Amino acid sequence: MPRVLLIEDDPSIREGVGLGLRRRGHEVSAAETGEEGLALMAGFHPELVLLDLMLPGINGVQVCRRIRETSEVPIIMLTARGDDFDIVVGLEAGADDYVVKPVRTEIIEARIKAVLRRLGDAGARSGVEQHGELAVDRAGLTVAKNGERVALAPSEIKLLLHLSASPEQVFSRRQLLEYVWEHSYHADARLVDACVRRLRNKIEDPGAGPRYIQTVRGFGYRFGPL
C-alpha cells in the first residue's frame, strides 16, 4: 500500500483519516501545517499527498505549488463545501484530484486507488511516439519536447497519453473524466479544464495558440498537432 503524507490542520480529521488509512495498510505521516508537511516530504518520500486547502501559515495552494517544483507525486486536495474558487486554484497549482469534507475514509481510499491506477493504465501501450516536437514514451511514462523532458503530474500524463493515442478524435469532458479521473458527474468538468490548461503551459509554445491540445467548442478536446 502506498505511503501517504496527510497535511491537515483539523486534529479530528487528521486523526480520523490517518487511523482509517493505517487500518487499510497505508504507512501514514501526518502534518498539521504546510511548513511541517514540506519538511516531511524529503525524509518520508510519500507516494501520495492528501493536502488540505485551508491551512494556517502557508496555505494548501502554496504547498501544492512548492511540491510541484520538485516532485510529480500525486496530490489529492481536501476541501470544504462551497470552496469552488479555491478548488479551481488548487487544480491549477498542480493537484490531481479533490474530495470534499466531510468524507468517509473509504471514499478517500477509492480516490487514492484511482489516482495511482492512472499511470499503470497509461503505460498499457508501449513504444515512443513522435508528435511534432513532442516525444511520448508510453512505456517509460515520460514526455520530451525538443529532446528535453517535460515534468508532468499523474493526471497530466494520463490525459496527454489518452488524447495522443487517438489523434484528431474528439473527446467530451465527460469521456475524459470517466477515463482519466474515473469520475462520472458533470460538476467535475473543471478537473479536465484545469488539467488541459496546465498541460498547455508545459507543452505548447509561449504566446502561440494551442497546437497539440485543441478545444472543440461545445464538446471537448482533441489532440493535434496542427
Side-chain angles (χ1 to χ4, degrees):
M1 299 294 284
R3 294 184 302 279
V4 176
L5 173 60
L6 171 61
I7 308 176
E8 167 63 62
D9 66 319
D10 187 314
S12 61
I13 295 176
R14 190 171 62 249
E15 293 171 10
V17 171
L19 179 60
L21 292 176
R22 290 185 183 98
R23 285 177 174 172
R24 286 166 170 78
H26 294 277
E27 182 181 353
V28 179
S29 183
E32 183 176 357
T33 66
E35 293 90 340
E36 184 182 350
L38 290 170
L40 287 172
M41 281 289 297
F44 184 58
H45 302 295
E47 294 166 275
L48 184 134
V49 176
L50 286 174
L51 174 61
D52 182 28
L53 273 184
M54 303 301 293
L55 292 170
I58 300 177
N59 65 33
V61 172
Q62 293 170 308
V63 172
C64 187
R65 289 188 179 125
R66 293 271 294 275
I67 291 174
R68 280 288 170 258
E69 289 175 1
T70 58
S71 175
E72 299 166 23
V73 64
I75 300 173
I76 299 177
M77 297 185 303
L78 301 173
T79 75
R81 295 190 186 280
D83 289 341
D84 287 355
F85 176 78
D86 290 331
I87 288 171
V88 172
V89 173
L91 293 172
E92 294 282 4
D96 295 285
D97 204 345
Y98 73 91
V99 292
V100 177
K101 299 183 290 186
V103 61
R104 300 190 306 275
T105 306
E106 54 264 33
I107 300 299
I108 296 176
E109 176 72 11
R111 292 292 179 88
I112 290 173
K113 289 180 178 179
V115 167
L116 296 177
R117 191 160 49 232
R118 290 174 198 163
L119 286 182
D121 293 343
R125 289 174 48 174
S126 61
V128 178
E129 301 171 357
Q130 195 71 37
H131 301 280
E133 299 166 345
L134 290 183
V136 179
D137 184 347
R138 293 187 174 276
L141 299 176
T142 61
V143 175
K145 182 177 181 181
N146 293 324
E148 296 187 9
R149 182 174 175 181
V150 180
L152 298 178
S155 56
E156 296 164 4
I157 185 68
K158 182 70 181 289
L159 180 62
L160 178 59
L161 293 182
H162 185 56
L163 288 171
S164 64
S166 304
E168 303 302 331
Q169 180 177 340
V170 180
F171 293 94
S172 70
R173 289 172 174 82
R174 182 176 294 276
Q175 288 173 318
L176 294 172
L177 277 170
E178 292 177 351
Y179 181 78
V180 179
W181 287 269
E182 301 182 18
H183 293 196
S184 59
Y185 43 95
H186 180 68
D188 278 310
R190 57 193 164 191
L191 285 169
V192 179
D193 295 335
C195 192
V196 166
R197 285 191 290 269
R198 296 197 321 253
L199 260 178
R200 283 174 171 167
N201 287 336
K202 294 179 179 181
I203 68 174
E204 304 284 3
D205 294 326
R211 178 186 178 195
Y212 293 102
I213 302 179
Q214 304 157 28
T215 300
V216 180
R217 293 190 180 279
F219 194 78
Y221 299 99
R222 67 182 175 193
F223 184 83
L226 293 174

